[in-house]
């Protein structure tokens, strides 16, 4: 028996599903009976995950998608609708984190974060809004970050991009809530993911020291928070969640 029975029969889209939080969310949804479309650029990784989900008895579709491209996202909508029908659950999880000194960081790094974390999220939202607002209950989950509120050296632009996600989520409740769409904004603290892998130098050392002192959540633990949230009765909206290790403050 699934832990969250209200997920059974739903159709979910998860962006950034190739690894970390996105992959864990996709697996949690599938394990509870949802059909899951895995969206990410790395086609081999999401195909491997889709194969594993199906081998475990779930339903999954790998859709190679670049959320910085209108054409790619539009094609993803077509593919998901053809395979699974209407989407009633979207998780905007794809994100990029590139720390850098405000006076020296390459502008291209800032543009990459804004294109993915803000514009990419909006592109996915716009593309799937007709599905979400069709007859019946639906969920939109945006994965923001505690960095939307707290300040960290060299994370100014990343934090600004996540603050935008939090603001968008707050505003959308007035627009989509009356149409039956719950909007949940989740702000994780330290969680295991590949965002850490390419961060080196002083920024990498800072993260390592912080994790050593504050601890870190497993991706599966955050995925359980998301699955719990979207499986509540339709009239209940857990609209804002900050999820941290107990020892992070």
């Amino acid at each position: 028996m699934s832990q969250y029975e209200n997920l059974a029969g739903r159709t979910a889209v998860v962006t950034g599903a190739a690894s970390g939080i996105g992959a864990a969310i996709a697996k949690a949804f599938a394990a509870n009976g949802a059909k899951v479309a895995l969206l990410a650029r790395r086609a081999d990784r999401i195909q491997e995950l889709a194969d594993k989900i199906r081998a475990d008895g779930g339903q999954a579709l790998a859709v190679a998608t670049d959320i910085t491209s209108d054409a790619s996202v539009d094609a993803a909508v077509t593919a998901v609708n053809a395979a699974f029908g209407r989407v009633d659950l979207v998780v905007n999880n794809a994100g990029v984190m590139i720390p850098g000194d405000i006076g020296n960081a390459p502008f291209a790094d800032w543009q990459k974060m804004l294109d993915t974390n803000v514009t990419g999220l909006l592109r996915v939202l716009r593309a799937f809004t007709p599905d979400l607002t069709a007859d019946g209950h639906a969920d939109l989950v945006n994965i923001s970050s505690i960095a939307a509120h707290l300040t960290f050296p060299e994370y100014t632009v990343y934090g600004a991009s996540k603050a935008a996600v939090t603001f968008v989520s707050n505003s959308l409740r007035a627009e989509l809530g009356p149409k039956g769409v719950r909007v949940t904004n989740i702000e994780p603290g330290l969680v295991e993911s590949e965002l850490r892998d390419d961060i080196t130098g002083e920024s990498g050392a800072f993260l390592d020291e912080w994790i050593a002192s504050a601890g870190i959540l497993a991706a599966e633990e955050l995925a359980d928070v998301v699955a719990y949230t979207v499986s509540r009765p339709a009239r209940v909206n857990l609209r804002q969640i900050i999820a941290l290790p107990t020892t992070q403050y």
Side-chain angles (χ1 to χ4, degrees):
M1 180 180 296
S2 67
Q3 184 177 6
Y4 303 123
E5 294 183 12
N6 287 347
L7 280 170
R10 300 189 65 182
T11 297
V13 165
V14 181
T15 69
S19 65
I21 294 169
I25 291 171
K27 287 188 283 188
F29 286 175
N32 285 279
K35 296 173 288 187
V36 185
L38 315 173
L39 273 58
R41 289 176 299 174
R42 292 178 288 180
D44 57 336
R45 293 286 292 272
I46 55 174
Q47 187 60 59
E48 181 181 346
L49 177 57
D51 291 344
K52 184 178 187 309
I53 288 172
R54 288 194 290 266
D56 291 338
Q59 299 181 71
L61 174 71
V63 185
T65 309
D66 178 359
I67 67 168
T68 68
S69 162
D70 284 346
S72 184
V73 171
D74 289 344
V77 175
T78 299
V80 176
N81 288 160
F84 289 152
R86 176 202 171 210
V87 172
D88 64 353
L89 171 52
V90 172
V91 180
N92 271 311
N93 166 74
V96 178
M97 181 174 71
I98 311 173
D101 181 89
I102 200 70
N104 300 307
F107 187 83
D109 288 350
W110 299 350
Q111 193 67 58
K112 185 175 182 179
M113 284 188 282
L114 294 172
D115 286 348
T116 303
N117 300 354
V118 182
T119 310
L121 177 144
L122 293 172
R123 183 175 286 108
V124 170
L125 164 66
R126 182 183 64 184
F128 284 101
T129 290
D131 277 24
L132 293 176
T133 56
D135 291 341
H137 163 66
D139 280 286
L140 171 67
V141 179
N142 294 326
I143 306 297
S144 181
S145 169
I146 192 63
H149 302 289
L150 303 183
T151 57
F152 307 101
E154 300 191 345
Y155 287 84
T156 299
V157 177
Y158 174 75
S161 73
K162 290 302 186 177
V165 172
T166 294
F167 183 87
V168 165
S169 301
N170 290 338
S171 295
L172 282 175
R173 291 188 190 99
E175 187 171 348
L176 298 181
K179 299 177 181 179
V181 182
R182 290 190 298 205
V183 180
T184 298
N185 187 63
I186 296 184
E187 298 178 342
L190 295 168
V191 181
E192 293 173 350
S193 77
E194 291 187 354
L195 290 178
R196 166 67 186 85
D197 293 353
D198 295 327
I199 299 175
T200 59
E202 293 183 5
S203 296
F206 169 79
L207 270 180
D208 289 342
E209 291 173 7
W210 192 17
I211 291 169
S213 64
I216 191 167
L217 296 178
E220 290 75 15
E221 291 169 325
L222 188 67
D224 181 66
V225 171
V226 177
Y228 175 84
T229 299
V230 299
S231 63
R232 297 308 87 202
R235 65 184 179 278
V236 179
N237 183 7
L238 301 180
R239 53 180 284 169
Q240 176 79 6
I241 297 174
I242 297 175
L244 309 176
T246 301
T247 46
Q248 180 183 348
Y249 56 89

